[in-house]
Amino acid sequence: NQLIGLESAAPEDGFLVCLPENPKYANHLGTVHGSALLAVAEAGSGEFLLRNFGHIKGFVPVVRKIEAKFRKPASGRVSSRCSLAQDVVVGWASELVSRGRLSASIPIEVVDSKGVVVSAVVEWFISNGNANA
């Protein structure tokens, strides 16, 4: 994430991570490259997991799959957010503690400076270190 240039976003703004506006992230059309958008989605989902499960001893998340839908080209600064219901998070935490593992699909929105949204779902396999995966 440091190599790519991702930055932490202010939680009070509702965002997880962001990628600043920079021509180096542009594709041949001058919009944000798809791989950069996916990096923001993946890192945002990882930050969401850390904020919600990072306190669990032995917490080990691994990405299994990423699906994204590019409706319109994104431009400028892009930031990720997740609006997963708290009861889902609580259920996942309970499952992780009781079973020692969990498969979780995190819905992420990557939003550009003009409000264009790229939606993605990042599926994670999470272990608490005690499960035989």
Side-chain angles (χ1 to χ4, degrees), residues 8 24 32 46 72 85 93 108 116 118 125 130:
S8 293
K24 71 181 182 180
V32 180
K72 292 182 179 179
I108 293 289
V116 171
V118 172
F125 174 77
N130 298 323

Side-chain angles (χ1 to χ4, degrees), residues 36-60:
L37 295 171
L38 289 176
V40 174
E42 187 271 341
S45 68
E47 179 63 23
F48 178 83
L49 289 176
L50 280 174
R51 290 182 187 181
N52 287 281
F53 302 108
H55 65 282
I56 297 174
K57 185 179 180 193
F59 168 75
V60 179

Side-chain angles (χ1 to χ4, degrees), residues 53 84-93:
F53 302 108
L84 197 61
Q86 190 59 33
D87 61 329
V88 173
V89 175
V90 169
W92 285 352

Side-chain angles (χ1 to χ4, degrees), residues 57-124:
K57 185 179 180 193
F59 168 75
V60 179
V62 179
V63 172
R64 278 195 167 160
K65 179 171 64 172
I66 298 177
E67 293 182 17
K69 183 159 188 155
F70 304 95
R71 291 183 185 94
K72 292 182 179 179
S75 60
R77 179 184 185 92
V78 290
S79 304
S80 62
R81 66 182 174 209
C82 177
S83 57
L84 197 61
Q86 190 59 33
D87 61 329
V88 173
V89 175
V90 169
W92 285 352
S94 177
E95 182 178 346
L96 181 57
V97 170
S98 67
R99 293 187 62 225
R101 63 183 184 268
L102 167 70
S103 180
S105 293
I106 310 294
I108 293 289
E109 290 183 331
V110 178
V111 184
D112 78 358
S113 56
K114 296 177 185 169
V116 171
V117 175
V118 172
S119 58
V121 176
V122 184
E123 183 181 320
W124 292 82

